[in-house]
Amino acid sequence: MERTFVMVKPDGVMRQLTGEIIAGLERKGFKLVAMKMLKMDTALAERHYAEHMGKAFFPGLVEFITSGPVVAMVWEGPNVVKGVRDLMGATNPAEALPGTIRGNLAVTISRNVIHGSDSVESAEREIALYFKPEEILVYDRPADAWLMEK
């Protein structure tokens, strides 16, 4: 079963959108297997966004992501990386389709409410930054038999 990392960014937390975002991912059928709220320090933010280090927008990105609390989560399901990316919508909310998280809830690219891993490899790296293996739960839901083929 595939896993992905999802984070409600400080703007999403401050705007009280965390529950709405979680509800949308649950409605799709994905399973929440780990979650924590934290305030990122600079070192963690720099590790999280390491691929952007050296780019002009990097300092502002680190400053924003450390400006308030975030909600870090691990979600599980078939093709969950792509599924979450599709539900999030385009990085730039102006290009995000209505019905997507960013299309409905975000206004600017620098305050786009949510982060989701862009590949299985990125998900593995990002999950390891925030969660120990024992913090990720394995459990069955009664609805799983109706959501997924065996």
Side-chain angles (χ1 to χ4, degrees), residues 8 13 19 22-23 38 43 51 55 63 69 73 113 119 121 125 141-142 146:
V8 179
V13 173
I22 290 171
L38 64 133
E51 71 273 13
K55 296 178 182 171
E63 183 179 348
M73 298 174 277
V113 180
S119 68
E121 297 76 24
R125 182 184 70 78
R141 300 175 298 180
W146 298 103

Side-chain angles (χ1 to χ4, degrees), residues 2-135:
E2 192 173 281
R3 288 182 175 159
T4 195
F5 177 78
V6 175
M7 177 172 47
V8 179
K9 296 178 180 181
D11 55 325
V13 173
M14 294 305 211
R15 291 177 54 206
Q16 301 177 316
L17 300 173
T18 304
E20 185 173 344
I21 290 167
I22 290 171
L25 295 171
E26 287 181 325
R27 272 194 304 274
K28 177 69 175 174
F30 297 135
K31 180 166 51 171
L32 180 61
V33 295
M35 180 170 70
K36 64 174 73 169
M37 185 177 224
L38 64 133
K39 189 164 186 307
M40 256 196 262
D41 61 23
T42 301
L44 178 56
E46 288 176 348
R47 286 194 312 275
H48 180 89
Y49 288 118
E51 71 273 13
H52 299 303
M53 197 171 284
K55 296 178 182 171
F57 62 86
F58 183 75
L61 187 60
V62 170
E63 183 179 348
F64 167 66
I65 206 70
T66 59
S67 68
V70 300
V71 176
M73 298 174 277
V74 180
W75 288 85
E76 191 175 86
N79 301 306
V80 71
V81 172
K82 182 182 181 328
V84 168
R85 300 287 296 178
D86 289 347
L87 287 172
M88 288 184 348
T91 302
N92 184 348
E95 298 169 1
L97 295 174
T100 64
I101 293 167
R102 290 176 177 146
N104 289 354
L105 303 176
V107 177
T108 66
I109 194 166
S110 62
R111 302 288 187 269
N112 64 9
V113 180
I114 189 170
H115 165 85
S117 301
D118 62 5
S119 68
V120 172
E121 297 76 24
S122 291
E124 290 172 358
R125 182 184 70 78
E126 292 171 350
I127 290 168
L129 286 173
Y130 296 89
F131 296 94
K132 299 172 188 167
E134 62 270 17
E135 293 177 311

